[in-house]
């Protein structure tokens, strides 16, 4: 027999064995499929979107981003106009250095309502970095960046096709963005969206003068590595320039450090090595899940292999080598793992398509290189996982089953099986312990995320229209404040508007910070904060439980100047046992000077009470500050309407803003309920993941315990028959079987509970969120019940054994 025939025979035998044991095969395949789906799906998202180092452009791996990292704040400092202009002239390792900023002016066309559009104000070098030629006309040039040059714009192919009907005479026509009329000088080809996801480009005009540090608009800086340069050499040169800046401005650049990285990284929130390590750690968690599932499947395969011990003994006696038998058992495991991996890849592909659909409403804001689809690299990764799973599932039981010599193999073949003894006990205890330790956190996470994913909002959010209000007016100018105040005045006078308010963040999506209470210097708590309009609580009908809400006297020129704050009930209860009026709190950041003391003047009910990042924890601490119009950029508007749907009021809202100031622009116009429920799909997806993990582990645990119980009781079938022949009562036999099962199941449950308690303590109570006393006993009882049910069927079959047949076999 040649090698091909041997492998083909092993494959056919593997398929027959899997079909002969459908329960074990299905349980094992389901567990591996879920683990492969999670690992492959996570690999596609993590590596293709977050860890990628190359753009889908010519030599995209050499396009880089540069930033100033603020080590004190733990985030990049975007005000780097001065640094960009110096780098542009002094940096030799990075060529074609450029910068951009994003704005959202109104696109104004005759006969059409104004529309807020995304515009990239970019240096001309951005097009040379991308190395993509225009479809029509030209792209931006350096002379366009001069403040005295006429305003021009380059449009994308989709804008040219949809707004201008692909007019071949488009060059030279005007496009009005806010109050500025721009001449169209070029059209970029289909698919071009550099620097982020853009279809309109205007010149970035910074002026020739080098400004003071930390001044000017926020910028993103990019470039292309010089032919002989690397990231390491460019970082060395950039560090030297940073040292020179720290000598010139020692107080400003103390915590600022310039750094360079692959261009896609900062857009995915990856700025430091620890961010990369966290993503690798996340991928490692999914790989560990596959290993744990494979070990669970190994228990199933081990029992099945033990039941085939007589077959293995006969094959050994007939001359089959140990390697031949191990190879055949590995092929069986490989077929199981391969089928499961194919199913897992299909699940991952469907899940990623669902994620793409759920994020369709924000697709235009995502970087153009980000995708939610299964990559071919993930397919290769799944293939590698298949081999790993097959090795764990097939080789470990095979080595255990074939370690006996020829004589013992013949003896096993003669008696029909082998006794597992201590191995059986260890497997049962380990199976139960694993389930009791790791199922409760998954169940708690699935329950909490499912509750968040389908929770109500606690107020009539469907009656509110939300929008983000901003303008192209320079930051911190009275002109924007006056425009916003006039816009809100006209809104309040509109017959279809009941109330209007604004805040820095939409309700439920507040910013996070650490706070400390006066008299409790060592007690730092995590809280959420928001800057709100003076009538914010009235607009949402939030009950005032004590004290007062904000008054005109509380308003100040800037949010930091007002020291009166309103807090929610959970904060008053947790920090001051409910007696919070007149008490003081302040913001406290590690390794930074604490903020000024803030006096609590009012306590309001917890709001809102549904789902979204700031609403998942019903005990979330919240602090509110009052601000005047113009202080929040952008301002999150909340407009309560009378007898009109939010979508129907959107055109009137845009026209109203345009009538106040053409430079005022509105973005993200949608119902407030849609905004607040926009985060729920994340909770639903997370709940589905944890539920899949829970069900797969529970299925494998139940199947493993059942298989082990069935095997051991079947091994005692002759013993049971002989004891019946000698007059033993069935109650006594059943009690003996179940007492032994109870001892093993109970030991596993206790060990699992102890391990779970250690994990809960190590996590600081995060895993079970205070539900350990309820969830762990329920899971332990369920697993023990599964074990008893697993022993029931084999025990009943054993009691049907004819005593005479057992005596003859003996």
């Amino acid at each position: 027999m040649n090698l091909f025939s041997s492998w083909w025979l092993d494959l056919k035998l593997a398929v027959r064995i899997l079909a002969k044991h459908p329960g074990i095969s299905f349980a094992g395949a389901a567990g591996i499929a879920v683990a492969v789906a999670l690992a492959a799906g996570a690999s596609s998202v993590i590596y293709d979107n977050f860890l990628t180092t190359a753009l889908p452009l010519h030599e995209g791996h050499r396009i880089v981003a540069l930033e100033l990292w603020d080590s004190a704040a733990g985030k990049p400092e975007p005000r780097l106009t001065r640094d960009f202009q110096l780098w542009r002239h002094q940096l030799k390792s990075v060529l074609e250095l450029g910068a951009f900023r994003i704005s959202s002016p109104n696109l104004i066309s005759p006969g059409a309502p104004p529309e807020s559009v995304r515009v990239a104000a970019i240096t001309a070098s951005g097009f040379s970095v991308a190395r993509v030629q225009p479809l029509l006309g030209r792209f931006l040039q350096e002379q366009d960046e001069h403040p005295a040059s006429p305003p021009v714009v380059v449009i994308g192919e989709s804008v040219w096709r949809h707004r201008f009907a692909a007019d071949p005479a488009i060059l030279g026509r005007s496009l009005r963005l806010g109050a500025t009329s721009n001449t169209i000088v070029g059209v970029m080809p289909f698919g071009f969206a550099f620097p982020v996801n853009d279809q309109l480009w205007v010149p970035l005009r910074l002026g020739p003068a080098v400004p003071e540090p930390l001044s000017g608009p926020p910028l993103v800086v990019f470039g292309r590595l010089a032919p002989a340069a690397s990231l390491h050499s460019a970082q060395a040169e950039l560090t030297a320039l940073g040292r020179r800046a720290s000598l010139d401005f020692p107080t400003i650049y103390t915590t600022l450090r310039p750094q360079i990285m692959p261009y896609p990284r900062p857009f995915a929130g990856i700025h430091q090595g620890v961010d990369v390590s966290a993503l690798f750690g996340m991928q490692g968690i999914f790989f560990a899940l596959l290993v744990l599932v494979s070990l669970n499947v190994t228990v199933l395969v081990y029992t099945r292999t033990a039941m085939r011990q007589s077959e293995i003994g006969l094959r050994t006696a007939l001359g089959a080598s140990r390697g031949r038998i191990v190879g055949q058992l590995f092929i069986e495991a490989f077929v199981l793992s391969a089928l499961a991996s194919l199913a897992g890849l299909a699940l991952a592909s469907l899940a990623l398509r669902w994620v793409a659909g759920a994020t369709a409403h924000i697709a235009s804001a995502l970087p153009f290189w980000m995708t939610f689809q299964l990559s071919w690299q993930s397919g290769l990764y799944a293939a590698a996982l298949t081999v790993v799973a097959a090795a764990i599932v097939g080789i470990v039981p095979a080595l255990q089953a074939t370690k006996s010599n020829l004589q013992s193999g013949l003896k096993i073949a003669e008696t029909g099986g082998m006794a597992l003894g201590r191995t059986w006990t260890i497997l049962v205890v380990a199976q139960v312990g694993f389930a009791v330790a790791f199922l409760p956190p998954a169940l708690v996470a699935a329950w909490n995320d499912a509750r968040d994913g389908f929770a109500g909002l606690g107020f009539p959010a469907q009656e509110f229209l939300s929008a983000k209000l901003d303008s192209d007016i320079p930051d911190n100018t009275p002109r924007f404040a006056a425009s916003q105040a006039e816009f809100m005045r006209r809104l309040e006078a509109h017959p279809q508007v009941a109330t209007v308010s604004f805040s820095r963040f939409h309700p439920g999506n507040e910013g996070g910070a650490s706070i400390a209470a006066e008299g409790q210097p060592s007690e730092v708590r995590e809280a959420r904060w928001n800057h709100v309009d003076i009538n914010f609580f009235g607009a949402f009908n939030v009950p005032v439980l004590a004290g007062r809400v904000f008054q005109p006297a509380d308003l100040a020129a800037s949010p930091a100047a007002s020291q009166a704050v309103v807090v929610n009930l959970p904060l008053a209860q947790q920090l001051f046992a409910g007696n919070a009026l007149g008490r003081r709190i302040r913001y406290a950041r590690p390794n930074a000077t604490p903020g000024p003391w803030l006096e609590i003047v009012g306590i309001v009910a917890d709001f809102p009470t549904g789902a979204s990042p700031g609403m998942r924890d019903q005990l979330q601490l919240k602090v509110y500050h009052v601000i005047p119009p113009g202080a929040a950029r952008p301002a999150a508007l909340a407009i309560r309407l009378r007898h009109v749907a939010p979508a129907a009021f959107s055109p009137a809202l845009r026209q109203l803003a345009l009538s106040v100031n053409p430079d005022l622009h509105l973005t993200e116009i949608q119902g407030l309920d849609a905004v607040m429920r926009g985060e729920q799909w994340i909770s639903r997806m997370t709940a589905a993941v944890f539920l899949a993990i829970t069900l797969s582990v529970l299925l494998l645990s139940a199947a493993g315990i059942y298989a082990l119980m069935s095997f051991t009781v079947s091994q005692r079938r002759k013993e049971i028959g002989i004891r019946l022949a000698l007059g033993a009562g069935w109650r006594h036999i059943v009690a003996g079987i179940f007492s032994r099962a109870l001892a093993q199941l109970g030991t596993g449950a206790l060990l699992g509970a102890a391990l779970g308690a250690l994990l809960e303590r190590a996590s600081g109570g995060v895993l079970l969120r205070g539900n350990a006393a309820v969830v762990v006993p329920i899971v332990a009882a369920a697993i023990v019940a599964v074990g008893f049910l697993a022993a029931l069927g084999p025990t009943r079959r054993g009691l049907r054994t004819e005593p005479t047949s057992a005596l003859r076999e003996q």
Side-chain angles (χ1 to χ4, degrees):
M1 181 180 296
N2 57 39
L3 182 61
F4 175 79
S5 300
S6 174
W7 282 94
W8 178 245
L9 181 63
D10 287 343
L11 283 173
K12 292 194 294 183
L13 181 59
V15 173
R16 291 173 185 170
I17 293 296
L18 294 177
K20 185 178 179 181
H21 302 276
I24 293 177
S25 300
F26 175 79
I32 294 176
V34 170
V36 169
L38 292 173
S43 174
S44 284
V45 173
I46 291 174
Y47 286 95
D48 296 346
N49 294 336
F50 293 96
L51 291 179
T52 182
T53 58
L55 292 178
L57 297 170
H58 178 67
E59 292 186 342
H61 64 285
R62 298 193 66 78
I63 300 177
V64 293
L66 297 86
E67 66 182 16
L68 275 180
W69 180 255
D70 188 341
S71 58
K75 61 182 181 181
E77 170 54 62
R79 296 170 299 170
L80 38 62
T81 303
R82 177 187 183 276
D83 302 272
F84 162 64
Q85 294 197 358
L86 292 178
W87 295 343
R88 200 175 191 179
H89 296 96
Q90 298 176 5
L91 200 57
K92 305 302 180 184
S93 300
V94 181
L95 304 179
E96 299 163 330
L97 200 69
F100 73 91
R101 65 186 300 258
I102 301 299
S103 62
S104 302
N106 290 317
L107 176 59
I108 303 173
S109 301
E115 177 188 358
S116 179
V117 294
R118 178 187 173 99
V119 175
I122 189 171
T123 56
S125 55
F127 295 91
S128 55
V129 163
R131 295 184 179 175
V132 175
Q133 295 300 313
L135 181 66
L136 294 174
R138 66 173 177 87
F139 41 57
L140 300 178
Q141 299 174 351
E142 285 191 22
Q143 57 265 32
D144 296 325
E145 299 174 22
H146 195 279
S149 297
V152 295
V153 62
V154 174
I155 64 175
E157 190 271 346
S158 63
V159 174
W160 176 55
R161 178 163 31 90
H162 291 109
R163 187 166 287 272
F164 298 99
D167 183 4
I170 187 65
L171 301 181
R173 291 181 60 177
S174 295
L175 186 70
R176 184 179 174 188
L177 298 173
T180 304
S181 181
N182 301 267
T183 302
I184 299 175
V185 297
V187 179
M188 296 304 293
F190 174 79
F192 181 81
F194 187 82
V196 183
N197 199 342
D198 303 287
Q199 289 294 296
L200 293 166
W201 301 268
V202 297
L204 177 65
R205 294 174 170 175
L206 299 175
V210 178
E212 292 297 312
L214 305 187
S215 63
L219 295 179
V220 178
V221 180
F222 59 85
R224 182 180 284 273
L225 289 174
S230 64
L231 277 175
H232 180 74
S233 63
Q235 180 62 63
E237 185 182 6
L238 198 61
T239 301
L241 294 178
R243 291 196 190 100
R244 190 180 306 169
S246 63
L247 293 176
D248 295 335
F249 302 93
T251 58
I252 296 178
Y253 284 86
T254 302
T255 60
L256 297 178
R257 180 175 61 86
Q259 59 185 24
I260 188 171
M261 65 197 71
Y263 183 82
R265 291 286 177 88
F267 298 94
I270 301 176
H271 303 274
Q272 300 287 289
V274 65
D275 300 324
V276 177
S277 300
L279 289 172
F280 278 118
M282 187 181 301
Q283 185 63 43
I285 290 174
F286 290 112
F287 179 78
L289 173 65
L290 176 75
V291 173
L292 291 174
V293 168
S294 300
L295 291 173
N296 238 344
V297 177
T298 300
V299 175
L300 298 177
V301 175
Y302 188 83
T303 57
R304 188 183 68 188
T305 304
M307 295 177 186
R308 297 169 58 192
Q309 197 67 31
S310 57
E311 169 201 335
I312 294 173
L314 288 174
R315 293 182 63 184
T316 302
L318 293 175
S321 66
R322 187 185 188 189
R324 181 73 179 85
I325 295 173
V326 170
Q328 196 275 320
L329 295 177
F330 170 76
I331 291 296
E332 291 180 16
F334 182 79
V335 171
L336 176 68
S337 300
L339 294 175
S341 295
L342 290 175
L345 287 174
L347 285 174
S349 179
L350 289 174
L352 290 176
R353 289 182 185 177
W354 180 79
V355 171
T359 57
H361 64 289
I362 60 171
S364 60
L366 295 176
F368 69 89
W369 58 88
M370 281 193 175
T371 61
F372 293 101
Q373 59 185 7
L374 207 62
S375 63
W376 64 268
Q377 293 93 337
S378 295
L380 293 178
Y381 181 55
L385 295 178
T386 299
V387 176
V388 172
I392 296 173
V393 171
I395 294 180
V396 174
L399 293 176
Q400 176 70 16
T402 57
K403 68 180 181 180
S404 304
N405 54 27
L406 176 61
Q407 185 176 1
S408 60
L410 290 172
K411 183 177 179 181
I412 291 171
E414 181 183 344
T415 58
M418 73 173 185
L420 290 177
R422 183 179 301 173
T423 302
W424 174 80
T425 300
I426 293 174
L427 289 175
V428 172
V429 170
Q431 189 87 333
V432 174
F434 171 80
V436 172
F438 291 98
L439 279 183
L443 281 173
V444 169
W447 167 254
N448 286 331
D449 283 307
R451 182 190 62 188
D452 294 339
F454 297 95
L457 299 175
F459 74 103
Q462 71 279 0
E463 299 177 8
F464 287 83
L465 178 67
S466 73
K468 294 291 185 67
L469 177 70
D470 206 342
S471 81
D472 292 330
I473 303 171
D475 295 342
N476 302 321
T477 63
R479 199 153 58 99
F480 174 69
S483 296
Q484 182 184 349
E486 175 62 17
F487 174 62
M488 295 187 65
R489 187 190 66 79
R490 295 189 189 184
L491 266 179
E492 291 170 344
H494 197 285
Q496 292 179 318
V497 174
T499 57
V500 59
S501 184
F502 70 91
S503 56
R504 186 173 296 275
F505 304 102
H506 282 303
N509 198 26
E510 297 88 355
S514 300
I515 61 172
E518 189 176 20
Q520 307 172 30
S522 61
E523 189 73 16
V524 176
R525 307 292 292 273
E526 294 301 315
R528 290 183 175 268
W529 62 272
N530 203 355
H531 294 155
V532 301
D533 184 19
I534 193 169
N535 69 332
F536 176 83
F537 301 108
F540 289 103
N541 294 328
V542 179
V544 181
L545 304 180
R548 63 175 177 84
V549 292
F550 295 117
Q551 300 174 351
D554 296 319
L555 284 172
S558 66
S562 178
Q563 297 183 352
V565 295
V566 173
V567 301
N568 68 342
L569 182 60
L571 186 147
Q573 291 176 332
Q574 292 188 39
L575 268 65
F576 304 104
N579 185 23
L581 289 180
R583 307 292 292 273
R584 299 200 302 175
I585 60 174
R586 66 180 178 184
Y587 294 103
R589 193 172 66 186
N591 303 321
T593 303
W597 287 109
L598 308 169
E599 181 183 356
I600 298 173
V601 299
I603 302 172
V604 296
D606 197 19
F607 167 80
T609 58
S612 91
M615 297 180 279
R616 291 173 182 167
D617 187 352
Q618 298 299 313
L619 299 178
Q620 191 68 251
L621 313 183
K622 295 185 181 179
V623 182
Y624 298 95
H625 305 256
V626 65
I627 55 171
R633 302 286 300 268
L637 300 180
I639 308 162
R640 192 164 193 170
L641 302 172
R642 291 192 182 103
H643 314 300
V644 60
F649 190 73
S650 297
L653 184 67
R654 290 189 184 277
Q655 288 290 354
L656 196 60
L658 184 64
S659 67
V660 173
N661 189 326
D663 284 320
L664 278 182
H665 53 76
L666 294 159
T667 57
E668 302 177 26
I669 302 177
Q670 55 184 322
L672 187 57
D673 58 335
V675 173
M676 302 182 74
R677 292 191 182 280
E679 300 287 342
Q680 287 189 308
W681 72 270
I682 300 177
S683 296
R684 294 173 185 174
M685 181 182 66
T686 307
V689 169
F690 280 116
L691 185 61
I693 294 174
T694 300
L695 291 178
S696 61
V697 173
L698 187 60
L699 175 66
L700 287 171
S701 299
I705 294 171
Y706 181 86
L708 289 168
M709 289 291 183
S710 298
F711 177 75
T712 189
V713 173
S714 65
Q715 290 295 92
R716 298 179 62 188
R717 184 179 61 86
K718 288 186 288 186
E719 173 197 339
I720 293 171
I722 293 173
R723 293 180 64 184
L724 287 173
L726 296 176
W730 66 271
R731 290 185 178 85
H732 184 70
I733 295 174
V734 170
I737 295 174
F738 276 87
S739 62
R740 183 179 180 186
L742 178 61
Q744 293 161 339
L745 293 171
T747 302
L750 290 174
L751 291 176
L755 177 58
L758 291 176
L759 293 174
E760 176 71 357
R761 180 178 298 179
S763 70
V766 173
L767 288 178
L768 297 179
R769 306 180 190 183
N771 299 303
V774 177
V775 180
V776 173
I778 291 176
V779 172
I783 295 297
V784 171
V786 167
F788 271 100
L789 292 175
L792 183 60
T795 300
R796 292 181 61 186
R797 290 193 300 270
L799 292 175
R800 297 194 191 104
T801 303
E802 290 292 335
T804 54
S805 300
L807 288 171
R808 271 199 307 271
E809 291 180 11
Q810 186 65 16

